[in-house]
Structure formats: C-alpha cells, structure tokens
Amino acid sequence: MLDFKRLIDKLRAERSLSAEELRQLIDGYDDETLVYAAAAARAVTEAHFGDGVYLRGLIEVSSRCRNDCRYCGLRRSNRRAERYCLEPEEILAACAAGYRAGLRTFVLQGGEDPALTDALLVPLIAEIHRRWPDCALTLSLGERSDASYEALYAAGATRYLLRHETIDEAHYRLLHPDDMSLARRLACLDALRRIGYQTGTGMMIGAPGQTAARLAADVAFIARFRPHMIGIGPFVPQHDTPFGREPAGSVRTTLLLISVLRLLAPRALIPATTALATLDPAGRQRGILAGANVVMPNLSPCEVRRKYAIYDGKAAAGCEAVEGLAALTKELAAIGRRPSFARGDYGDRHDAGHENSENQYN
Ligand code: SAH
C-alpha cells in the first residue's frame, strides 16, 4: 500500500512529483488522502492569500463558434444551440454593472466567433481600459493569431485563459475535430506568455478518454509551463453533443487536483469553477477549501445566460451571479473567507496589495 500522505508531504516540500507518483495518487487516493491534501493546500493558500478570495466578473460575449469540440454545447455542428453575440454597448454595460458591484476584473469569454475581429475588440478593450483604468481585463476567446494576441494586449488586455484541455496527442484528437491540433494550441499558449499576458491553462476532469496517466501528464505539463492561472473543472455532458451520454467527471477527483495544483504552484490563481458548482451545490466552498482562491460571478446579461450552454445545468444564478454577491459573501464567511475586491494580479501578496510584483515563475 502506497503512502499517499508521504506523497502529499513531498509535493508540498518540493513542489513536484514524478508523473508516475502523480498517476498512482490519482488512481489510488482515498478519503483520508483527499482530506490531507486539502488541509495542506489550504495552509499554502492561506499563507499566500490570507482569507481573501478574488472575484472575476464573467461576461459571455458570444455563443457562436467556428470550432467543433466534441464536449462543448457551442460546437458548430450543434444546430440546436441558440446563438447570440453581445454588442460592444452591452459588454460595456455589463462592465459598468460589475464595477458598481465592486468587481475589478472583467473576463470576456466566448466561442471562436468570426465576428469578434480585432477591429471590433481593439476599440472595445481600449474603451474598457479608458473607463475603468483600475480594472484588469482577461480574455478567453480561444485560438487567434499571434498578431491578434499582440494587438489585444497592446489595447489593454493583460490576462488570457486558454485551457490546453489535454497534453496527450491521441486524447486531444478524441476531444477535438481534425482541423484542430494540440501543437497549435500549445503554440498559442507560448505566444500568450511571450507577449506578456498572465496566462491561464488547464483541463476538464473526467472528460471522455481521460485516464489517470493522461491526467498525470496534464499536471506535469502545468508544472513545466507554469501558468499564472489554472482552470480545472469536472466534465459535464451537454445533451446535444457527441459526448452527451458520457458520465460527468468526478467532483472528488477535481478537488484532489485543485489541491495538487495548489501545492505545485502556491501563488497560482485557481478558480472554484462554475462546473464544480454545477455538479455539487457545495462545490464552490469545497473547491476553496481544497485550495482554490478565485470565483467568477456571472456578469452576462440575464437574457443570454441560458444560451451560453457549454454543458447541461450550468449554474448561473445565486452565488454564481453578480446579483448574488451578498449570498456569496455569506457563503464565503461560512468557511472563514471573504471576497477580495482587489484586482488580484499574479504575484500580488494579500498583505501588500497589487504593488508587489514578486513572481515565483519569472
Ligand atoms: N472558446 C474558448 C472559451 C470557452 S469555454 C476556448 O475554447 O478557450 C471555456 C472552457 O470550458 C473550455 O476550455 C473547456 O475546458 C470548458 N468546457 C467546455 N465544455 C465543457 C463541458 N461539457 N464540461 C465542462 N467543461 C467544459
């Protein structure tokens, strides 16, 4: 019988584990390991971030997509998906509402909608930057050219989320259509980093075809790439996709991975994702208690939230929504945390505001 507690101790002390150790941990962990890993991860999170949990207002700008990812309800082959694309004015109005609620980071996320050209985005980003210079702007708009990433950065976007989804070639092909490639995705991630974005990557937990060995390889990739942000959440089936009848990913394994990634990357920004909250009503709290330090309340106009249906049953009300900030504050208080209204850039210390740019990675 493997001593998983020893592995967790080693992970905490050395900030690394071999791919084989990771695989064994993922394959064999039990409840005791989960609790032990979460306690270690929580201590590391508290040491770096205190009791603050960063808030990011999520604006789902478009449900149109040229891609055909097999897991995603917005895939182009899904004729039943309801499509919309927000007007710049609607996006600005969402930012204004978020700002009034105290949010200081806006995340523009969407499908790869050809309408989201640089000609549209550059002035929009510049305008957000001009109106709310104290806010950070994060983009999550998929794969674009290096020139586009550069133009959006120059306009004022400083963070970008692009999950690698899986580092295994064969697995990547199972999840994605033939016209997408892992090499291209990794080239995008490298470009984002090089340009200067605080870069986020990650993967779903329990996506079809995922094995413990593949998940261990994903963790090893993250340890090498050293992203500033790490987004992981359970796979949740969407009924109009080819994976619509596959089982959802495991909440427990997601929590284990949050803890493992926190121990690997103590300063990383790790959200308790909506997917986790969708599968478990206590998912957000459990994610935070496992080492997450970010939540992303939904700031999209209410009429469109239902249409951004990447998976079934997506939580978009209550604590997941900006209208629910009071409820979220209570929920956090119940686990000894409070919402932090700081921008929360990578490398910030909870006791030093955003002036401190100490950075373990660079
Ligand atoms: N189009 C952008 C962002 C949109 S989706 C992009 O591809 O980067 C953001 C993330 O949602 C994806 O990276 C994926 O990991 C996750 N996602 C998509 N479908 C999902 C599903 N069925 N279950 C859980 N997460 C999903």
Side-chain angles (χ1 to χ4, degrees):
M1 179 65 190
L2 258 160
D3 187 351
F4 290 127
K5 287 190 181 169
R6 201 189 51 77
L7 282 190
I8 300 294
D9 290 341
K10 182 175 165 194
L11 184 58
R12 184 175 181 177
E14 299 175 13
R15 296 186 192 169
S16 75
L17 279 188
S18 72
E20 178 54 17
E21 286 170 321
L22 282 166
R23 188 196 62 73
Q24 289 175 345
L25 179 64
I26 293 164
D27 240 356
Y29 77 91
D30 55 9
D31 283 341
E32 221 181 305
T33 314
L34 200 60
V35 170
Y36 191 78
R42 202 156 58 234
V44 167
T45 313
E46 283 164 8
H48 288 288
F49 300 98
D51 60 356
V53 174
Y54 293 120
L55 304 183
R56 278 67 164 101
L58 179 66
I59 306 171
E60 297 153 332
V61 297
S62 175
S63 69
R64 302 202 179 108
C65 193
R66 74 177 121 226
N67 281 336
D68 216 19
C69 308
R70 293 194 176 89
Y71 45 83
C72 182
L74 303 185
R75 67 201 304 267
R76 68 165 181 260
S77 314
N78 183 6
R79 297 267 155 70
R80 297 163 82 166
E82 292 186 61
R83 309 293 178 172
Y84 71 87
C85 183
L86 295 182
E87 296 295 331
E89 285 311 317
E90 295 176 291
I91 296 170
L92 290 167
C95 293
Y99 192 88
R100 280 194 300 274
L103 302 183
R104 294 296 178 266
T105 293
F106 307 121
V107 183
L108 307 190
Q109 185 180 81
E112 292 192 18
D113 179 350
L116 296 173
T117 57
D118 291 353
L120 181 136
L121 289 170
V122 165
L124 173 64
I125 291 167
E127 182 62 13
I128 292 173
H129 200 51
R130 192 188 67 75
R131 288 200 201 173
W132 301 286
D134 51 336
C135 292
L137 187 60
T138 308
L139 302 177
S140 177
L141 301 171
E143 298 177 7
R144 305 177 71 90
S145 68
D146 290 14
S148 173
Y149 288 146
E150 272 160 27
L152 304 181
Y153 186 83
T158 55
R159 305 177 186 161
Y160 206 103
L161 305 172
L162 183 71
R163 292 186 180 177
H164 68 286
E165 310 294 358
T166 174
I167 200 65
D168 183 282
E169 260 311 329
H171 193 211
Y172 196 92
R173 283 198 301 277
L174 177 79
L175 298 181
H176 299 101
D178 287 345
D179 57 0
M180 291 179 75
S181 84
L182 177 59
R184 164 103 184 97
R185 171 105 356 185
L186 297 179
C188 287
L189 280 169
D190 283 337
L192 290 165
R193 252 218 112 113
R194 177 175 48 72
I195 292 164
Y197 284 98
Q198 292 173 48
T199 305
T201 196
M203 62 280 176
M204 292 175 283
I205 307 300
Q210 189 177 65
T211 59
R214 283 172 169 170
L215 194 47
D218 288 320
V219 174
F221 165 71
I222 289 174
R224 284 197 302 281
F225 184 72
R226 297 177 167 275
H228 306 91
M229 303 170 284
I230 306 171
I232 63 164
F235 163 74
V236 185
Q238 201 286 343
H239 63 279
D240 289 318
T241 63
F243 293 156
R245 297 172 149 253
E246 298 288 332
S250 152
V251 168
R252 291 173 74 249
T253 305
T254 305
L255 296 170
L256 175 76
L257 268 289
I258 289 175
S259 298
V260 164
L261 290 163
R262 168 60 64 210
L263 295 172
L264 269 172
R267 290 178 188 281
L269 296 152
I270 304 179
T273 53
T274 304
L276 190 59
T278 296
L279 290 187
D280 180 347
R284 205 170 18 257
Q285 287 171 311
R286 293 178 77 189
I288 290 163
L289 292 174
N293 63 336
V294 173
V295 291
M296 300 171 69
N298 196 312
L299 257 188
S300 306
C302 289
E303 324 81 73
V304 306
R305 284 186 198 168
R306 181 181 51 79
K307 301 183 189 169
Y308 196 79
I310 55 181
Y311 49 77
D312 290 339
K314 188 164 133 283
C319 297
E320 280 296 325
V322 71
E323 312 80 57
L325 276 188
L328 177 62
T329 302
K330 266 196 194 156
E331 188 183 288
L332 293 175
I335 54 169
R337 300 298 169 101
R338 58 172 180 86
S340 165
F341 290 94
R343 275 172 60 126
D345 285 287
Y346 181 86
D348 283 359
R349 292 181 61 101
H350 65 89
D351 54 350
H354 60 269
E355 313 304 327
N356 187 322
S357 62
E358 181 188 335
N359 187 330
Q360 162 217 348
Y361 284 161
N362 294 322

